[in-house]
Amino acid sequence: MEMITNPSISKKGFEDLLINAINKSNEGITISSIDQPDSPLIFVNDGFERLTGYTKEDVIGKNCRFLQGKETDHAAVDVLRHAISNKQQTTVELLNYKKDGTPFWNRLSITPLKNESGITTHYVGVQSDITEIRETQKELTEANNILALFKDKINFDLYQARIAQSFIMPSILPIDERVRFSSLFEPKEQIGGDFYDVIELDKGIYGILIADVTGHGIPAALLTFMTSFAFQSSALKFYSPAKVVTATNEKLFNKMPRGSFITMFYAIYDSNNKNLTYTQAGHPEAFILRPSSMELLPLTTQGSPVGVLKITLVNYSESKIQLEVGDKFLLYTDAILEVRNEADVMMSNAMLTSFLIKNAHSSIDELLTRVKMFGLSYSGKKTFGDDFTMVGFEVLA
Ligand SMILES: Cc1cc2nc3c(=O)[nH]c(=O)nc-3n(C[C@H](O)[C@H](O)[C@H](O)COP(=O)(O)O)c2cc1C
């Protein structure tokens, strides 16, 4: 044996060591002679006996196919036959049966052995019992299938919830020759925490709301439903934004999950006298974009978010502004303010202001689309990191 590298061990000693190692191996090790009819086994180690329950006397002189049975995959056997007839190495996983009939999964690797003239005369086979691995794999596959089904179901439910949520927002905006409304709504997930509303309260008088519920996904979406119903019933009762926000707060306080709140901005526009009355509740300020003077006028009243404080602790106020033809009123949620570029720098107010002023003469529809594109091009991304919602109007006459 040329393999001996350590002169301290004799050739006989090394052969004994090798046989011992082969027999102690947990794997089955087999040698079959393929130059004899039907390629019989000429050697099996102790590991093979332990694995299969067959003794050396049972198997020497037989082809190893005796391990196959009813459920053995023919395709795997074909791979073995093909490899042997082409004198190639191969590894397959196939179902075999022990002497007592117990099935087991065998990872079988067979390798051709050449004689000194380079002719393949024998094959060595290594058999490993991979039954446990296969069972774990099977369980994992089953668990994955269940998870995939579950995921499909959740996605379907989210899709249904998304459809339900779209009903709390106007499907079409009011049409009026004196004022043109426009909106953009893109929730981050299938269902989100932003929503808006535009209601005709009376002939030519409109209530315009934007709201942002803390968080995302199902919990936030459920709060949007609650908030929308609370707001709508109050909006139809009072023609004062401060009273509507106060009443909405009263309805929601104590019914919100701990730590949740809603920011909103509500305005009432009377197109008969071009008066806009508004109330801010923890929400970013709104803007009037005035093309006649190329100005951007911020609208604030500094109220706290809705749903957190008791009615006795909040005092929502309202302010009024006289609009003129060409003015654009803009409401938005914080996605546009929190947009960051690749260097993680937030867009400055000055940047947004100068962009809006530059676009003061665009129509309201164009303006909303341009603001969105501006935000996305600043971030270098295809979508916003948060729900993106804008609603506004333009005074036409
Ligand atoms: C060294 C060696 C070990 C083998 N060990 C196994 C084995 O553990 N289980 C098995 O199902 N087939 C084993 N086979 C494959 C079969 O002996 C046989 O080659 C295969 O069934 C394809 O031939 P057939 O179509 O004539 O049966 C082994 C083959 C060789 C050469």
Side-chain angles (χ1 to χ4, degrees):
M1 284 219 176
E2 302 86 27
M3 270 191 295
I4 299 174
T5 52
N6 189 338
S8 69
I9 190 164
S10 68
K11 190 176 166 190
K12 171 81 175 68
F14 184 72
E15 278 173 11
D16 288 348
L17 191 67
L18 212 55
I19 295 290
N20 199 15
I22 287 171
N23 279 328
K24 285 287 175 310
S25 161
N26 223 8
E27 265 53 59
I29 298 174
T30 49
I31 298 175
S32 72
S33 164
I34 65 156
D35 51 8
Q36 289 183 44
D38 206 27
S39 311
L41 289 168
I42 58 159
F43 171 81
V44 299
N45 72 342
D46 294 354
F48 182 89
E49 291 185 322
R50 287 192 296 271
L51 173 65
T52 63
Y54 287 102
T55 62
K56 295 183 175 69
E57 294 69 41
D58 288 335
V59 302
I60 298 295
K62 288 186 185 157
N63 184 296
C64 207
R65 76 172 72 82
F66 63 83
L67 289 174
Q68 298 161 15
K70 224 168 80 204
E71 303 277 317
T72 306
D73 184 3
H74 294 295
V77 177
D78 289 347
V79 170
L80 289 169
R81 189 184 318 109
H82 186 257
I84 295 167
S85 66
N86 289 297
K87 315 281 184 287
Q88 287 164 345
Q89 194 282 332
T90 194
T91 302
V92 294
E93 289 181 8
L94 80 175
L95 194 72
N96 275 173
Y97 295 82
K98 299 187 183 193
K99 190 174 179 180
D100 65 5
T102 315
F104 71 98
W105 278 98
N106 184 357
R107 178 179 289 146
L108 169 65
S109 167
I110 56 166
T111 308
L113 301 173
K114 290 180 181 162
N115 65 12
E116 280 153 6
S117 334
I119 295 166
T120 301
T121 53
H122 294 82
Y123 258 81
V124 58
V126 178
Q127 286 88 357
S128 312
D129 185 348
I130 54 156
T131 311
E132 265 182 41
I133 299 174
R134 290 289 290 224
E135 269 163 15
T136 313
Q137 270 172 355
K138 201 174 148 218
E139 281 163 17
L140 270 178
T141 311
E142 280 167 10
N144 274 339
N145 289 343
I146 292 171
L147 274 180
L149 281 176
F150 195 58
K151 192 174 153 222
D152 285 352
K153 183 171 164 9
I154 286 181
N155 279 340
F156 181 70
D157 286 353
L158 281 172
Y159 172 72
Q160 299 278 72
R162 170 85 187 81
I163 291 175
Q165 197 187 30
S166 69
F167 291 125
I168 66 169
M169 281 173 264
S171 56
I172 44 161
L173 294 168
I175 295 179
D176 188 316
E177 56 196 18
R178 289 181 295 185
V179 52
R180 173 157 177 85
F181 291 97
S182 189
S183 66
L184 266 184
F185 174 64
E186 287 180 17
K188 188 184 166 223
E189 296 160 36
Q190 280 122 316
I191 184 154
D194 277 14
F195 75 99
Y196 67 93
D197 211 346
V198 181
I199 317 173
E200 182 161 16
L201 300 169
D202 209 336
K203 189 96 193 85
I205 303 176
Y206 301 96
I208 308 114
L209 171 84
I210 197 152
D212 187 353
V213 171
T214 40
H216 297 283
I218 298 278
L222 290 175
L223 285 180
T224 63
F225 286 103
M226 246 166 72
T227 312
S228 163
F229 296 133
F231 158 75
Q232 284 200 1
S233 63
S234 313
L236 296 170
K237 238 188 257 166
F238 310 106
Y239 283 7
S240 142
K243 280 190 183 160
V244 171
V245 174
T246 306
T248 308
N249 181 61
E250 197 179 343
K251 286 200 177 90
L252 294 176
F253 174 70
N254 257 345
K255 297 193 186 70
M256 310 259 303
R258 201 177 263 273
S260 303
F261 60 87
I262 303 137
T263 70
M264 55 172 70
F265 197 107
Y266 180 49
I268 296 179
Y269 179 62
D270 185 344
S271 66
N272 305 302
N273 56 19
K274 301 193 191 61
N275 264 335
L276 182 82
T277 320
Y278 54 90
T279 291
Q280 181 190 24
H283 201 81
E285 59 195 11
F287 288 121
I288 296 295
L289 184 57
R290 180 155 290 171
S292 67
S293 56
M294 295 300 268
E295 266 181 300
L296 188 69
L297 310 169
L299 308 181
T300 68
T301 63
Q302 316 276 352
S304 49
V306 168
V308 235
L309 295 173
K310 248 197 240 175
I311 176 91
T312 46
L313 293 175
V314 279
N315 183 17
Y316 291 108
S317 63
E318 62 189 35
S319 293
K320 211 174 248 202
I321 183 169
Q322 176 70 45
L323 300 190
E324 56 182 55
V325 172
D327 277 357
K328 269 137 232 153
F329 171 61
L330 284 180
L331 281 177
Y332 49 90
T333 49
D334 47 15
I336 189 71
L337 301 175
E338 286 172 1
V339 64
R340 288 167 187 273
N341 66 9
E342 273 159 11
D344 208 30
V345 177
M346 268 212 242
M347 187 191 299
S348 67
N349 278 351
M351 260 182 96
L352 185 62
T353 305
S354 81
F355 177 81
L356 288 170
I357 292 175
K358 238 186 265 162
N359 286 278
H361 289 284
S362 320
S363 71
I364 186 73
D365 294 324
E366 269 171 10
L367 189 67
L368 297 195
T369 314
R370 283 187 188 171
V371 172
K372 176 184 151 182
M373 299 319 292
F374 179 63
L376 288 179
S377 78
Y378 180 81
S379 72
K381 296 196 179 114
K382 286 202 178 107
T383 53
F384 288 97
D386 203 348
D387 294 347
F388 178 83
T389 312
M390 286 186 86
V391 57
F393 67 78
E394 176 178 358
V395 179
L396 299 177

